[in-house]
Amino acid sequence: EANRKGLRGQAGFFLPNQLSTGYNDEVALDYVGRGLLRNYGASLTMTLEAEPFTLTSITGYRGYKAHDDRDIDGTGLPYGAGIIDQKQSQYSQEMTLTSNGRKRFNWIAGIQLFRENFASRFQVLDLVGSVVRPGLGARVPVNYVYDVRGYETTSYAAYVQADYRLMEQLTLAGGVRYSLD
């Protein structure tokens, strides 16, 4: 494991120190990048009570944006850097209709919707694997990019449950739920 206690090898490259004992949690960084994380969200719950039932609506929205520059090789030498950009948002809606719960027979029915969008870009600048640019003779970093764009999740559900109080301490209950993801 490359760390601050590493040794410079005979050929001039960095070698992990095989002589150190125990776990070493010190990591050398030649580059400390910028990190930015923004979270946001809102929710709204509305309830309408009308005998003999209650209607409840729960709406939610949240998301985040993140940017992170980091040293990815863990050494004090400029071997590699990584850049991560992410963006995510999600929306949810649930509606339930519930009996008032004061009778022997009670029930609840509802629907749910969930939708999420996600995009991520991870870029690696590999300075060790750099190549000589033709005509210039200068070494330039190899640039790897991993993109995940347009990732979307959608989920729908509907459910119903009912129960019947047979005796004071015995209730029979049953329900069903259907989900589509």
Side-chain angles (χ1 to χ4, degrees):
E1 180 175 289
N3 55 50
R4 281 188 200 158
K5 295 182 181 178
L7 304 172
R8 218 171 262 281
Q10 295 294 335
F13 55 89
F14 188 81
L15 294 174
N17 184 350
Q18 301 299 317
L19 303 176
S20 64
T21 59
Y23 178 74
N24 182 7
D25 62 356
E26 296 179 12
V27 176
L29 300 175
D30 59 288
Y31 169 68
V32 178
R34 177 178 69 106
L36 175 66
L37 175 62
R38 291 189 176 134
N39 287 305
Y40 47 89
S43 66
L44 175 66
T45 301
M46 295 185 296
T47 303
L48 172 65
E49 294 186 21
E51 280 298 323
F53 60 84
T54 300
L55 177 65
T56 304
S57 170
I58 303 171
T59 305
Y61 178 80
R62 71 178 202 169
Y64 74 87
K65 291 181 183 178
H67 176 86
D68 192 16
D69 299 330
R70 63 176 65 177
D71 180 344
I72 60 170
D73 58 62
T75 71
L77 301 173
Y79 286 156
I83 301 167
I84 302 171
D85 287 301
Q86 292 182 331
K87 182 178 180 181
Q88 184 262 6
S89 64
Q90 65 184 43
Y91 166 80
S92 63
Q93 176 65 51
E94 180 174 7
M95 300 281 289
T96 59
L97 191 60
T98 309
S99 65
N100 64 18
R102 292 189 291 265
K103 297 186 179 184
R104 292 181 77 150
F105 179 74
N106 295 289
W107 50 268
I108 182 170
I111 56 171
Q112 295 174 320
L113 165 68
F114 174 81
R115 179 166 287 153
E116 176 185 37
N117 292 299
F118 177 77
S120 179
R121 178 181 173 93
F122 180 49
Q123 181 176 358
V124 176
L125 302 174
D126 182 355
L127 303 177
V128 174
S130 60
V131 295
V132 175
R133 180 176 261 174
L136 297 176
R139 294 189 75 77
V140 294
V142 176
N143 189 12
Y144 305 98
V145 177
Y146 306 97
D147 269 332
V148 177
R149 295 184 187 269
Y151 177 79
E152 182 175 296
T153 301
T154 303
S155 179
Y156 303 95
Y159 56 91
V160 63
Q161 178 178 320
D163 61 66
Y164 184 77
R165 190 173 60 243
L166 299 170
M167 295 185 283
E168 188 62 36
Q169 304 218 353
L170 180 62
T171 301
L172 178 63
V176 64
R177 177 185 176 97
Y178 175 79
S179 296
L180 177 63
D181 297 318

